[in-house]
Amino acid sequence: MKQIVLASNNAKKLVELSALLAPLGFELTPQGQLGVPEAEEPFGTFVENALTKARHASRLTGLPALADDSGICVRALGGAPGVHSARYAGEPKSDQRNNDKLLQELAHETDRRAHYVCLLVFVRHADDPQPLIAEGEWHGEILPAPRGEGGFGYDPLFLLPSLGKTVAELPAAEKNTLSHRGQALQKLLARIQDAV
């Protein structure tokens, strides 16, 4: 197994990405297990934040690194919460408070279209001049109340009209296939095998 450091300590993200990478012979190790603190995410774009996180994890471990910056963009809110999705309701991070804030912000909106975005960045080493970058989007709409027990983040509010289900109502394997993260990773996988 080839070891890659995951520039995240999100346990659910680790499970999701590990399931997709394991069949190709890659073992993801979360940065926290290697003593790497979280990187600052000062930028206004997903790609800049993901690249910063990947370089940070790689620099401190000497390993190739994979970073994900993802969030939800709501049309009626001008793309918010966007890069601030994980901390939309402030610190400490809380899915419940983030969901409550989103519902409050959309209380008087009729346009509830939204999409998840995932930007994956893979660096072979900290100063990699040609990082591998892949993006995925998953379109849906925001429900007025949560449904389902699975997933994380905004999944209980994110309805997939074509399926009539929220992301939180999907089995994990189906979510991994359809999701913004799954789409981005599929684009990255073909290139990552040749890169490591």
Side-chain angles (χ1 to χ4, degrees):
M1 288 287 241
K2 298 172 186 167
Q3 189 178 17
I4 297 174
V5 60
L6 177 63
S8 173
N9 292 315
N10 183 317
K12 292 182 179 178
K13 215 175 264 191
L14 175 68
V15 169
E16 213 171 278
L17 289 168
S18 290
L20 294 163
L21 282 167
L24 298 173
F26 295 108
E27 180 187 353
L28 272 184
T29 303
Q31 64 183 8
Q33 281 184 18
L34 301 171
V36 177
E38 286 194 12
E40 294 295 317
E41 298 178 53
F43 300 106
T45 67
F46 294 106
V47 68
E48 288 172 297
N49 286 329
L51 184 56
T52 297
K53 292 191 283 189
R55 290 197 190 286
H56 172 78
S58 183
R59 185 167 286 114
L60 294 178
T61 62
L63 294 168
L66 177 66
D68 156 307
D69 200 41
S70 52
I72 193 165
C73 299
V74 180
R75 174 124 4 152
L77 302 180
V83 297
H84 304 291
S85 293
R87 294 173 176 82
Y88 192 43
E91 293 288 353
K93 289 191 269 188
S94 163
D95 288 349
Q96 181 65 54
R97 289 189 308 109
N98 289 339
N99 284 318
D100 291 346
K101 180 175 179 177
L102 182 60
L103 290 177
Q104 186 179 19
E105 297 283 328
L106 289 174
H108 303 293
E109 297 291 342
T110 54
D111 184 355
R112 300 179 80 88
R113 288 175 292 173
H115 64 276
Y116 273 124
V117 177
C118 174
L119 237 299
L120 288 178
V121 172
F122 175 80
V123 295
R124 297 161 194 84
H125 53 84
D127 297 315
D128 191 341
Q130 193 176 14
L132 303 182
I133 299 172
E135 183 175 5
E137 288 186 11
W138 202 12
H139 293 264
E141 57 192 59
I142 304 299
L143 288 176
R147 277 187 6 207
E149 302 298 321
F152 59 95
Y154 299 90
D155 290 355
L157 296 177
F158 193 77
L159 177 71
L160 302 164
S162 62
L163 299 177
K165 295 180 179 180
T166 66
V167 175
E169 293 173 310
L170 296 178
E174 188 175 4
K175 177 186 176 182
N176 287 347
T177 303
L178 301 173
S179 78
H180 53 306
R181 193 166 291 113
Q183 291 176 42
L185 193 55
Q186 289 307 317
K187 292 175 187 175
L188 193 66
L189 288 180
R191 299 174 65 202
I192 207 171
Q193 286 180 290
D194 297 329
V196 179

